């Protein structure tokens, strides 16, 4: 019996065309906006090695992933080859790479160096002992494999060690653990990661991604100066997550992301590419704040970790609930505003109070104090060297690493600069006469620096007045309101409180002020000028506003 196949072929063709059409226009405005703005801000995600196995190894999984990425406004994907102990299959990796490229995405690789070679003795059990030859051999295999597939490779933030095995003790010799681990991982990176990857693929470029815990970098082998020199790019984990210090001590304040991005960008002379935000233990308000702080930190890309987790409704991290799907909904609503934020600060240098953290420096009872100081309503300029060319500066015990600190500090004060130092630093200065200098203020910090967030508006006034005087400014607002000064006419306020606030900024001269951008879209504030004072009324909770003044 003859069958007329033309109608059936017509139906099949129509179905195929409809499928292709529907797979390319899901959230066209957001996808278009993402491509239009990727010169100032790119959004990406990571498919872990396990995500490759579970979501990218079938045509259906790939279609769903591409649809989600376009709907979410992504223009790059990182496809991971290895997250120990699992290594993804080459066929799946190459198939996913090629399909995403065909759909208009940029594609890169990733390696998470856990469960490789000999495990560490002591500390985090996931990471490796880098003295072991077995570790070196397995690293080389992984990076040769990855470089054979991708030109750009990110290393997730597990390239550290706390190993105290017999081999490491012997190899350490007379060095401190910090010196030994930093030297070891710098050379290990050169010999068993960078050299190997570039030998396999001369076009390979490698990103080292750093975690949030900057005060412990050197203790665990992260040597940011030499590694920033050796690696092609640096990235930062800007996943600050939810916290409530009235409930329990863990967690990181939102400003941590901004400080770390700016600090590393300075060390790497512009090599800092982006920040990595996380939905683990995070709810929407904090999730979008991670993104905002990454942008303010001059991050040129925001990576959403990770695809498989972001499809789920809930998770728990360190006892805090996370809401991945709700977070993505909130981020998608805010993305057009984040593009505007990135464009509004592009090319504008930070102005304000100099705040240096010397690389590989230790602290005394002041862990992560830099992030906390930024929550106090002080316009800060993160730095990485001891310098006296700012009108005002804050120095912590980290500056004890600077040779000849006391005479250098005396010189800065003698030049009329306004300086705040912590009491822990003041107690350790060789020249105690410095404490009598009229240009010096000593800040008493509790052994738990998080208590700085308890300072009242009245207690913050003299600190702000002294340090902002060289700027010709006075700022008055509650705690947990951050201020950023960029270029000659841009002021940004972000209210991290859960209630609206009022703020006042007095300047030496101001002719006009206007609101240029409010994030989120339903946030509000009323700005006015009286004389040379800018007054902000009713800045809503968890809201960022960009003001322009003349």
């Amino acid at each position: 019996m003859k069958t007329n196949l033309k109608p059936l072929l017509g139906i099949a063709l129509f179905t195929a065309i409809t499928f292709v059409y529907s797979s390319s226009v899901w959230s066209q405005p957001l996808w278009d906006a993402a491509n239009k703005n990727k010169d100032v801000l790119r959004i990406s995600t990571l498919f872990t090695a396990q995500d490759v196995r579970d979501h990218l190894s079938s045509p259906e999984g790939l279609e769903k992933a591409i649809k989600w990425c376009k709907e979410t406004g992504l223009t790059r994907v990182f496809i991971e080859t290895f997250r120990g102990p699992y290594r993804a299959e080459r066929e799946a990796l190459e198939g996913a790479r090629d399909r995403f490229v065909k759909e208009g995405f940029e594609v890169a690789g990733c390696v998470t160096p856990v469960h490789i070679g000999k495990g560490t003795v002591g500390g985090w059990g996931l990471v490796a002992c880098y003295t072991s030859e077995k570790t070196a051999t397995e690293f080389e295999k992984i990076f040769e494999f990855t470089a054979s597939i991708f030109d750009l490779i990110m290393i997730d933030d597990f390239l550290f060690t706390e190993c105290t095995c017999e081999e490491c003790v012997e190899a350490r010799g007379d060095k401190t653990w910090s010196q030994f681990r930093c030297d070891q991982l710098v050379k290990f990176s050169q010999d068993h990661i960078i050299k190997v990857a570039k030998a396999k693929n001369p076009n390979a470029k490698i990103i080292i991604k750093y975690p949030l815990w900057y005060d412990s970098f050197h203790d665990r082998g992260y040597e940011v100066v030499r590694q920033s020199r050796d690696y092609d790019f640096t990235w930062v984990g800007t996943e600050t997550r939810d916290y409530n210090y009235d409930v329990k001590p863990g967690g990181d304040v939102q400003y941590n992301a901004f400080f770390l991005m700016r600090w590393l960008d300075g060390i790497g002379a512009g090599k800092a590419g982006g920040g990595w935000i996380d939905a683990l233990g995070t709810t929407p308000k904090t999730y979008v704040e991670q993104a905002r702080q990454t942008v303010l930190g001059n991050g040129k890309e925001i990576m959403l970790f990770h695809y498989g987790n972001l499809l789920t409704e809930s998770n728990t991290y360190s006892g805090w609930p996370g809401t991945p799907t709700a977070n993505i909904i909130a981020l998608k609503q805010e993305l057009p505003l984040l593009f505007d934020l990135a464009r509004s600060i592009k090319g504008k240098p930070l102005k304000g109070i100099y705040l240096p953290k010397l690389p590989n420096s230790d602290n005394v009872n002041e862990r992560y104090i830099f992030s906390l100081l930024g929550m106090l309503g002080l316009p800060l300029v993160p730095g990485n060297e001891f310098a006296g060319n700012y009108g005002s500066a804050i120095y912590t015990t980290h500056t004890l690493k600077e040779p000849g600190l006391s005479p250098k500090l005396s010189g800065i004060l003698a030049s009329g600069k306004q300086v705040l130092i912590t009491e822990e630093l003041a107690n350790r200065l060789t020249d105690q006469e410095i404490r009598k200098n009229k240009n010096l203020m000593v800040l008493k910090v509790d052994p738990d620096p998080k208590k700085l967030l308890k300072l009242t508006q009245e207690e913050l006034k003299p600190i702000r007045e002294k340090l902002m005087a060289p700027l010709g400014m006075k700022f008055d607002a509650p705690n947990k309101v951050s201020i950023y000064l960029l270029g000659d006419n841009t002021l940004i306020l972000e209210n991290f409180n859960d209630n609206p606030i009022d703020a006042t900024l007095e300047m030496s001269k101001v002719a006009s002020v206007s609101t240029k951008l409010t994030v989120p879209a339903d946030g509000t504030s009323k700005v006015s000028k009286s004389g040379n004072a800018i007054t902000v009324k009713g800045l809503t909770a968890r809201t960022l506003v960009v003001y322009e003044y003349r």
Side-chain angles (χ1 to χ4, degrees):
M1 181 179 70
K2 278 193 172 183
T3 302
N4 188 348
L5 297 178
K6 288 185 178 180
L8 295 177
L9 289 171
I11 293 171
L13 181 60
F14 175 79
T15 302
I17 291 171
T18 301
F19 178 77
V20 171
Y21 177 77
S22 66
S23 68
S24 61
V25 296
W26 308 288
S27 185
Q28 198 68 41
L30 192 55
W31 171 245
D32 288 345
N35 279 286
K36 181 180 177 181
N37 288 282
K38 63 186 179 182
D39 62 315
V40 291
L41 180 64
R42 182 187 295 279
I43 313 298
S44 57
T45 195
L46 172 72
F47 292 89
T48 65
Q50 290 78 6
D51 286 341
V52 174
R53 177 192 64 206
D54 299 339
H55 299 285
L56 301 185
S57 296
S58 69
E60 297 80 13
L62 263 173
E63 289 298 334
K64 182 180 177 182
I66 290 166
K67 178 177 183 292
W68 184 90
C69 290
K70 288 189 175 182
E71 286 179 332
T72 310
L74 311 186
T75 54
R76 173 151 50 194
V77 294
F78 287 80
I79 301 176
E80 191 174 69
T81 61
F82 182 88
R83 178 168 293 250
Y86 179 71
R87 193 186 85 173
E89 296 294 328
R90 178 180 288 274
E91 183 179 357
L93 291 164
E94 292 179 342
R97 176 199 63 193
D98 295 346
R99 182 60 199 282
F100 272 104
V101 168
K102 185 177 179 181
E103 289 286 340
F105 293 87
E106 291 194 21
V107 182
C110 186
V111 171
T112 296
V114 294
H115 299 299
I116 301 177
K118 177 187 172 184
T120 184
V121 175
W124 289 45
L126 297 175
V127 295
C129 166
Y130 291 94
T131 307
S132 168
E133 287 296 326
K134 181 182 178 184
T135 299
T137 300
E138 292 195 18
F139 260 82
E140 290 183 2
K141 290 178 180 177
I142 291 166
F143 280 91
E144 279 184 350
F145 175 75
T146 306
S148 73
I149 302 172
F150 300 104
D151 289 340
L152 179 65
I153 304 165
M154 182 183 292
I155 305 173
D156 195 1
D157 56 14
F158 290 87
L159 191 64
F160 66 90
T161 185
E162 295 175 292
C163 190
T164 55
C165 74
E166 183 180 354
E167 284 183 275
C168 286
V169 170
E170 183 177 347
R172 177 171 68 103
D174 296 331
K175 293 181 180 180
T176 66
W177 278 114
S178 174
Q179 292 169 336
F180 167 68
R181 288 167 178 159
C182 286
D183 289 346
Q184 182 184 54
L185 278 169
V186 165
K187 184 164 176 49
F188 188 94
S189 291
Q190 293 168 345
D191 294 346
H192 305 296
I193 297 176
I194 299 170
K195 181 180 177 181
V196 169
K198 291 179 183 283
K200 185 68 177 180
N201 177 0
N203 295 320
K205 294 188 181 300
I206 306 176
I207 301 165
I208 182 169
K209 180 217 164 189
Y210 290 104
L212 273 175
W213 32 267
Y214 55 82
D215 261 332
S216 297
F217 279 179
H218 57 297
D219 294 327
R220 295 171 176 169
Y222 276 128
E223 212 286 16
V224 293
V225 175
R226 286 180 285 168
Q227 287 177 330
S228 293
R229 175 200 67 198
D230 291 345
Y231 282 96
D232 298 290
F233 303 102
T234 59
W235 272 52
V236 179
T238 49
E239 65 268 47
T240 50
R241 303 195 180 98
D242 287 7
Y243 69 94
N244 184 340
Y245 298 143
D246 292 330
V247 175
K248 55 184 176 180
D252 302 283
V253 295
Q254 296 93 324
Y255 196 89
N256 198 345
F258 169 84
F259 174 81
L260 189 49
M261 281 290 315
R262 290 278 179 170
W263 181 66
L264 281 170
D265 196 35
I267 292 170
K271 280 190 174 182
W276 171 311
I277 73 174
D278 198 333
L280 292 171
T282 304
T283 48
K285 289 180 180 179
T286 308
Y287 191 70
V288 294
E289 285 168 342
Q290 291 179 20
R292 295 175 203 163
Q293 291 296 298
T294 302
V295 174
L296 290 176
N298 206 33
K300 301 167 186 66
E301 186 165 345
I302 299 173
M303 147 102 67
L304 316 180
F305 177 82
H306 65 94
Y307 175 73
N309 177 260
L310 294 173
L311 300 181
T312 63
E313 291 188 4
S314 63
N315 61 48
T316 303
Y317 184 87
S318 296
W320 293 102
T323 55
T325 52
N327 295 351
I328 290 298
I329 291 170
L331 181 68
K332 286 164 66 174
Q333 292 171 345
E334 208 159 286
L335 264 189
L337 301 177
L338 291 175
F339 294 138
D340 291 341
L341 178 62
R343 202 165 291 282
S344 72
I345 68 171
K346 183 181 179 181
K348 296 180 180 178
L350 275 178
K351 293 169 55 179
I353 304 154
Y354 187 57
L355 179 67
K357 183 202 181 302
L358 277 61
N360 309 318
S361 56
D362 295 314
N363 74 91
V364 182
N365 297 326
E366 293 174 356
R367 286 174 66 80
Y368 309 114
I369 191 172
F370 304 98
S371 311
L372 296 159
L373 289 168
M375 302 289 283
L376 306 184
L378 298 167
L380 302 176
V381 180
N384 58 80
E385 59 185 8
F386 189 85
N389 56 335
Y390 284 79
S392 56
I394 300 174
Y395 301 115
T396 66
T397 53
H398 302 75
T399 53
L400 289 167
K401 184 178 175 64
E402 180 71 14
L405 175 60
S406 281
K408 290 178 181 177
L409 185 55
S410 291
I412 290 172
L413 291 165
S415 69
K417 307 294 175 57
Q418 301 301 303
V419 175
L420 180 146
I421 64 174
T422 60
E423 187 174 55
E424 292 283 7
L425 174 59
N427 291 339
R428 288 164 174 77
L429 292 174
T430 303
D431 182 3
Q432 285 293 304
E433 289 297 308
I434 290 175
R435 301 182 72 150
K436 299 176 183 178
N437 193 294
K438 65 179 182 179
N439 295 323
L440 183 73
M441 174 181 281
V442 177
L443 176 66
K444 183 176 178 60
V445 179
D446 190 272
D448 180 6
K450 297 184 185 73
K451 290 186 179 177
L452 287 170
L453 300 181
K454 296 293 186 181
L455 291 175
T456 66
Q457 192 165 338
E458 286 300 311
E459 290 170 327
L460 288 169
K461 270 187 179 180
I463 300 172
R464 292 168 174 164
E465 286 183 5
K466 184 173 190 65
L467 294 174
M468 294 181 70
L471 300 169
M473 297 179 176
K474 288 184 179 180
F475 183 62
D476 189 29
N479 208 323
K480 296 177 70 176
V481 177
S482 292
I483 177 172
Y484 313 81
L485 301 173
L486 296 105
D488 296 324
N489 63 350
T490 300
L491 159 70
I492 299 176
L493 298 182
E494 185 159 16
N495 178 16
F496 293 114
N497 292 283
D498 291 320
N499 51 274
I501 62 94
D502 297 336
T504 303
L505 179 65
E506 296 181 35
M507 308 179 74
S508 56
K509 185 178 180 180
V510 58
S512 64
V513 63
S514 59
T515 301
K516 290 300 180 182
L517 179 67
T518 301
V519 188
D522 60 358
T524 60
S525 71
K526 183 178 180 181
V527 64
S528 61
K529 185 192 82 73
S530 177
N532 289 321
I534 296 171
T535 300
V536 175
K537 292 284 188 181
L539 175 56
T540 44
R542 313 296 283 270
T543 299
L544 177 151
V545 184
V546 179
Y547 304 101
E548 188 175 281
Y549 60 88
R550 301 289 179 188

